[in-house]
């Protein structure tokens, strides 16, 4: 489970395992913008989470797909 620590997933870098719930291991990640986010490990691995949310709001159209 700790093999994910230090890996990058989009803008997120996995820094520590903080627990486990019905969705599996929960990973604390630091985004390149500086925010922290707790994400299910499987969401990182399958590419569903690539940022803390900053990618979807940087272009000013929250709720829409990011430009990049």
């Amino acid at each position: 489970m700790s093999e994910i620590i230090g890996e990058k997933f989009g803008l997120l870098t996995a820094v520590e395992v903080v627990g486990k719930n019905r969705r599996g291991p929960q990973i604390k990640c630091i985004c390149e913008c500086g925010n922290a986010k707790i994400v299910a490990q499987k969401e990182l691995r399958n590419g569903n989470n690539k940022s803390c949310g900053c990618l979807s709001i940087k272009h000013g159209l929250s709720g829409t797909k990011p430009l990049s």
Side-chain angles (χ1 to χ4, degrees):
M1 185 164 50
S2 62
E3 71 277 355
I4 195 170
I5 303 305
E7 284 188 50
K8 284 195 63 105
F9 302 89
L11 300 180
L12 297 173
T13 301
V15 293
E16 71 176 302
V17 178
V18 293
K20 187 174 182 178
N21 65 17
R22 62 181 169 77
R23 294 173 52 189
Q26 300 297 298
I27 311 297
K28 179 179 179 181
C29 298
I30 302 296
C31 186
E32 286 184 10
C33 73
N35 289 327
K37 181 176 182 176
I38 307 290
V39 183
Q41 179 175 309
K42 70 178 186 175
E43 297 295 314
L44 291 172
R45 293 238 187 245
N46 67 20
N48 286 347
N49 275 293
K50 296 179 182 169
S51 75
C52 66
C54 64
L55 278 178
S56 62
I57 59 173
K58 279 186 179 174
H59 58 81
L61 300 172
S62 182
T64 62
K65 290 188 175 190
L67 298 174
S68 52

